[in-house]
């Protein structure tokens, strides 16, 4: 998944909520409300999440 596609999918899932995005090329990251972090690893189409540092696993609704 490209960085632009990752950003589009996260923005669509969290419409109207302030999100900060970053990417180091190998991983794309989105931070939402300082407690939820979503990320996508370079060779994967899956988006995963962490809530307050605890893994919440794959975020199925964001990938559609």
């Amino acid at each position: 998944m490209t960085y632009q596609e990752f950003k589009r999918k996260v923005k669509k899932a969290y419409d109207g909520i302030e999100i900060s995005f970053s990417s180091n090329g190998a991983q794309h990251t989105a931070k939402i409300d300082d407690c939820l972090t979503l990320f996508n690893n370079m060779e994967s189409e899956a988006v995963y999440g962490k809530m307050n540092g605890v893994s919440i696993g794959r975020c199925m609704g964001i990938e559609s």
Side-chain angles (χ1 to χ4, degrees), residues 4-59:
Q4 293 304 321
E5 186 177 9
F6 172 78
K7 289 184 1 180
R8 181 187 59 77
K9 289 183 176 190
V10 172
K11 284 179 183 178
K12 182 179 175 185
Y14 291 90
D15 188 36
I17 297 174
E18 188 173 328
I19 306 167
S20 61
F21 291 96
S22 63
S23 178
N24 63 12
Q27 185 177 70
H28 313 319
T29 304
K31 291 199 180 282
I32 303 163
D33 292 336
D34 291 329
C35 63
L36 176 62
T37 301
L38 305 176
F39 58 94
N40 164 265
N41 292 317
M42 189 165 102
E43 295 179 6
S44 171
E45 290 300 308
V47 176
Y48 297 91
K50 287 184 181 179
M51 177 71 80
N52 294 322
V54 177
S55 174
I56 59 173
R58 192 166 171 171
C59 302

